Amino acid sequence: MKDITYKYINYKDEKFKQVMYLRYYILFEPYNKIEKYKYDDLDSISIHLVALDKDKVIGYSRMTNTNGKGKITNVLVSIEYVNRGIGFEMMKKHIIKAKEDNMSYIYLSARLDTVNFYKKVGFQCEDKVRISERSGLPLQKMYISYL
Protein backbone atom coordinates (compact mmCIF):
# COMPACT_ATOMS: atom_id res chain seq x y z
CA MET A 1 0.00 0.00 0.00
CA LYS A 2 1.41 3.34 -0.97
CA ASP A 3 0.03 5.26 2.04
CA ILE A 4 1.72 2.92 4.53
CA THR A 5 5.14 3.94 5.85
CA TYR A 6 7.66 1.79 7.69
CA LYS A 7 9.94 2.99 10.45
CA TYR A 8 12.30 1.50 13.01
CA ILE A 9 11.59 2.86 16.49
CA ASN A 10 13.04 2.51 19.98
CA TYR A 11 10.97 0.75 22.64
CA LYS A 12 10.84 4.06 24.54
CA ASP A 13 9.18 5.81 21.57
CA GLU A 14 5.65 7.13 22.18
CA LYS A 15 4.34 4.83 19.40
CA PHE A 16 5.46 1.80 21.39
CA LYS A 17 2.33 2.17 23.54
CA GLN A 18 0.32 1.31 20.42
CA VAL A 19 2.67 -1.62 19.79
CA MET A 20 2.07 -2.97 23.31
CA TYR A 21 -1.69 -2.84 22.80
CA LEU A 22 -1.50 -4.59 19.42
CA ARG A 23 0.91 -7.25 20.67
CA TYR A 24 -1.51 -8.22 23.41
CA TYR A 25 -4.72 -7.83 21.38
CA ILE A 26 -3.54 -9.82 18.35
CA LEU A 27 -0.97 -12.27 19.69
CA PHE A 28 -2.18 -13.19 23.16
CA GLU A 29 -5.75 -12.17 24.06
CA PRO A 30 -7.39 -14.64 21.63
CA TYR A 31 -5.72 -17.55 23.42
CA ASN A 32 -6.54 -16.57 27.03
CA LYS A 33 -3.08 -17.50 28.29
CA ILE A 34 -2.09 -14.16 29.84
CA GLU A 35 -4.11 -11.21 31.14
CA LYS A 36 -1.71 -8.44 30.16
CA TYR A 37 1.35 -8.27 27.96
CA LYS A 38 4.31 -6.55 29.56
CA TYR A 39 7.67 -5.54 28.22
CA ASP A 40 10.02 -8.45 27.95
CA ASP A 41 13.79 -8.88 28.08
CA LEU A 42 14.17 -8.48 24.31
CA ASP A 43 12.46 -5.09 24.02
CA SER A 44 15.44 -3.08 25.20
CA ILE A 45 17.97 -4.86 22.96
CA SER A 46 15.92 -5.25 19.77
CA ILE A 47 15.02 -3.14 16.79
CA HIS A 48 11.31 -2.49 16.39
CA LEU A 49 9.75 -2.04 12.98
CA VAL A 50 6.34 -0.40 12.75
CA ALA A 51 4.03 -0.03 9.78
CA LEU A 52 2.14 3.24 9.99
CA ASP A 53 -1.06 4.48 8.39
CA LYS A 54 -0.58 8.18 9.02
CA ASP A 55 0.18 8.19 12.76
CA LYS A 56 -1.47 4.87 13.63
CA VAL A 57 0.60 1.71 14.16
CA ILE A 58 -1.03 -0.98 12.02
CA GLY A 59 1.83 -3.47 11.83
CA TYR A 60 4.79 -4.45 13.95
CA SER A 61 7.71 -6.85 14.10
CA ARG A 62 10.83 -7.08 16.20
CA MET A 63 14.32 -8.36 15.39
CA THR A 64 17.03 -9.12 17.93
CA ASN A 65 20.68 -9.57 16.92
CA THR A 66 22.32 -12.24 19.04
CA ASN A 67 25.86 -13.11 18.00
CA GLY A 68 25.22 -12.42 14.32
CA LYS A 69 21.90 -14.23 14.20
CA GLY A 70 18.61 -12.34 13.97
CA LYS A 71 15.60 -13.54 15.90
CA ILE A 72 12.29 -12.19 14.55
CA THR A 73 9.39 -12.11 16.99
CA ASN A 74 5.97 -10.55 17.49
CA VAL A 75 5.08 -10.21 13.81
CA LEU A 76 1.58 -8.78 13.49
CA VAL A 77 -0.70 -6.73 11.29
CA SER A 78 -3.87 -5.09 12.55
CA ILE A 79 -6.90 -7.14 11.50
CA GLU A 80 -8.37 -4.49 9.19
CA TYR A 81 -5.05 -4.34 7.25
CA VAL A 82 -4.42 -8.07 6.75
CA ASN A 83 -3.75 -9.36 3.20
CA ARG A 84 -2.43 -6.03 1.92
CA GLY A 85 1.25 -6.98 1.73
CA ILE A 86 2.24 -5.20 4.95
CA GLY A 87 3.65 -8.27 6.70
CA PHE A 88 5.56 -9.23 3.57
CA GLU A 89 7.07 -5.72 3.34
CA MET A 90 8.09 -5.81 7.01
CA MET A 91 9.87 -9.14 6.51
CA LYS A 92 11.69 -7.80 3.43
CA LYS A 93 12.87 -4.81 5.49
CA HIS A 94 14.16 -7.12 8.24
CA ILE A 95 16.03 -9.24 5.69
CA ILE A 96 17.71 -6.12 4.28
CA LYS A 97 18.54 -4.86 7.79
CA ALA A 98 19.96 -8.27 8.77
CA LYS A 99 22.28 -8.19 5.74
CA GLU A 100 23.32 -4.60 6.52
CA ASP A 101 24.13 -5.62 10.09
CA ASN A 102 26.14 -8.65 8.89
CA MET A 103 23.80 -11.25 10.34
CA SER A 104 24.43 -14.65 8.73
CA TYR A 105 21.11 -16.17 9.73
CA ILE A 106 17.63 -15.02 10.74
CA TYR A 107 14.99 -17.19 12.31
CA LEU A 108 11.51 -17.15 13.81
CA SER A 109 8.83 -19.41 15.24
CA ALA A 110 5.75 -19.40 13.02
CA ARG A 111 2.22 -20.40 13.91
CA LEU A 112 1.28 -23.29 11.64
CA ASP A 113 -1.30 -21.18 9.80
CA THR A 114 1.48 -18.70 8.81
CA VAL A 115 4.15 -21.15 7.58
CA ASN A 116 3.21 -20.69 3.91
CA PHE A 117 3.42 -16.89 4.28
CA TYR A 118 6.98 -17.15 5.60
CA LYS A 119 7.91 -19.63 2.86
CA LYS A 120 6.85 -17.00 0.28
CA VAL A 121 9.20 -14.53 1.99
CA GLY A 122 12.04 -17.08 1.67
CA PHE A 123 12.12 -18.85 5.04
CA GLN A 124 12.63 -22.60 5.30
CA CYS A 125 11.32 -24.98 7.97
CA GLU A 126 13.70 -26.43 10.53
CA ASP A 127 13.29 -28.98 13.29
CA LYS A 128 9.98 -30.29 14.48
CA VAL A 129 6.93 -28.37 15.66
CA ARG A 130 6.97 -27.28 19.33
CA ILE A 131 4.30 -25.88 21.65
CA SER A 132 4.63 -22.25 22.78
CA GLU A 133 4.73 -21.79 26.54
CA ARG A 134 3.03 -18.38 26.27
CA SER A 135 0.21 -19.06 23.83
CA GLY A 136 -0.08 -22.86 23.93
CA LEU A 137 -0.01 -22.89 20.11
CA PRO A 138 2.07 -25.22 17.96
CA LEU A 139 4.98 -23.32 16.36
CA GLN A 140 7.34 -24.17 13.50
CA LYS A 141 10.93 -22.87 13.63
CA MET A 142 11.90 -21.27 10.30
CA TYR A 143 15.08 -19.63 9.05
CA ILE A 144 16.92 -17.85 6.24
CA SER A 145 20.68 -18.38 6.03
CA TYR A 146 23.12 -16.09 4.18
CA LEU A 147 26.22 -18.29 4.52
Side-chain angles (χ1 to χ4, degrees):
M1 293 183 67
K2 54 186 159 192
D3 295 337
I4 304 302
T5 58
Y6 300 87
K7 177 181 174 182
Y8 283 102
I9 64 169
N10 184 286
Y11 79 106
K12 293 182 179 182
D13 188 291
E14 187 66 27
K15 295 213 178 314
F16 206 74
K17 291 177 185 174
Q18 292 180 54
V19 167
M20 292 296 287
Y21 170 78
L22 283 175
R23 284 200 316 200
Y24 174 72
Y25 179 71
I26 294 174
L27 298 177
F28 297 102
E29 183 187 50
Y31 309 107
N32 296 314
K33 289 288 185 179
I34 59 175
E35 291 181 24
K36 182 179 179 186
Y37 187 81
K38 301 175 185 165
Y39 293 98
D40 65 29
D41 294 341
L42 297 179
D43 283 333
S44 64
I45 61 170
S46 300
I47 58 173
H48 305 272
L49 179 62
V50 292
L52 301 164
D53 185 356
K54 296 182 180 50
D55 210 31
K56 179 182 176 187
V57 175
I58 52 97
Y60 169 76
S61 56
R62 173 177 74 180
M63 186 166 61
T64 309
N65 185 345
T66 54
N67 300 318
K69 294 181 180 178
K71 179 180 182 179
I72 296 178
T73 52
N74 295 168
V75 179
L76 59 94
V77 175
S78 192
I79 294 166
E80 59 269 22
Y81 290 87
V82 170
N83 294 322
R84 297 186 188 184
I86 295 165
F88 192 86
E89 189 65 28
M90 288 191 305
M91 291 300 97
K92 285 184 358 188
K93 291 191 179 305
H94 279 314
I95 292 167
I96 291 167
K97 181 72 171 150
K99 287 179 182 177
E100 289 173 355
D101 291 351
N102 296 313
M103 293 182 211
S104 60
Y105 179 92
I106 54 178
Y107 66 99
L108 53 81
S109 294
R111 292 187 325 264
L112 298 184
D113 63 336
T114 64
V115 167
N116 285 334
F117 163 76
Y118 289 111
K119 283 182 177 179
K120 289 177 187 173
V121 176
F123 283 84
Q124 299 174 34
C125 292
E126 178 179 294
D127 297 332
K128 58 185 176 186
V129 173
R130 67 173 181 80
I131 303 299
S132 167
E133 290 179 22
R134 275 196 172 160
S135 69
L137 296 174
L139 300 175
Q140 173 66 59
K141 185 173 181 184
M142 301 185 78
Y143 72 96
I144 295 177
S145 179
Y146 300 110
L147 301 175

